[in-house]
Amino acid sequence: QIIRKVGAPEVPKIKLTGILESPEQDLFSFSYGKNSVLRNILEHLGNSSINIRFMSKSSYANNHATARICIDSKYHEKVKEILSRKDVITSIDRLIYQPGVRILSIYPFKGDPKIAMRFFDALNSKNIEVLATNTATSVISCVIPSRKLPLAKQQLKSAFTFG
C-alpha cells in the first residue's frame, strides 16, 4: 500500500479495467548516431518476421538516439545475429542485452498523470526496477525483470481497483 501521513484521509483507489502482461521477452537497448541505423535494424527484423512487442526511442543532441525494443525470447539468437551484422554493429555506439523481462501494462490510462504517478509509486515502493516505459492513449506500459512480475502485479492490485 502507498504510504500516507498519520491522520491523512485514505487516498481513494482509481478504478481501472485491467492488467496485461506479456510472455517472456528479451530487451535490447542500443545507441546510434544516424536514423538510417534504426531503419536498417527494423528492416532486418521485418525480413526475419520478428515482431516487436515494445519499442521506445529517445533522441538527443548531435543526432544521437537510444532505442529499446522487446522481442519474444524465442527470437533472441536471431536478433543478436541481426545486431551483430557488420552493417549494423559498426553503426551502434552501445548495445545492452537483457534477457528475461516482461511488459506490464494497465488500462485505461487516458493520459492521466495521477494514474502514471500511482503506477510508478507502486512499483518504486518495492524497488521494482523499471527498465523502459511507454504510453498510448489507452495504456501505460513498463518493462521489468521477469522475476519481479508477481510482486509488481501485487503492488498494482493494491494501488488500483480493477474490474
Side-chain angles (χ1 to χ4, degrees), residues 80 88 104 107 124 131 142 153 157:
K80 285 182 184 177
V88 173
L104 187 61
Y107 65 95
N124 289 338
L131 305 168
C142 68
K153 286 174 61 178
K157 286 178 181 176

Side-chain angles (χ1 to χ4, degrees), residues 16 106-113 115-116 134-141:
L16 299 175
I106 59 173
Y107 65 95
F109 171 52
K110 300 179 192 171
D112 186 339
I115 293 174
N134 205 338
T135 63
T137 302
S138 61
V139 67
I140 182 168
S141 302

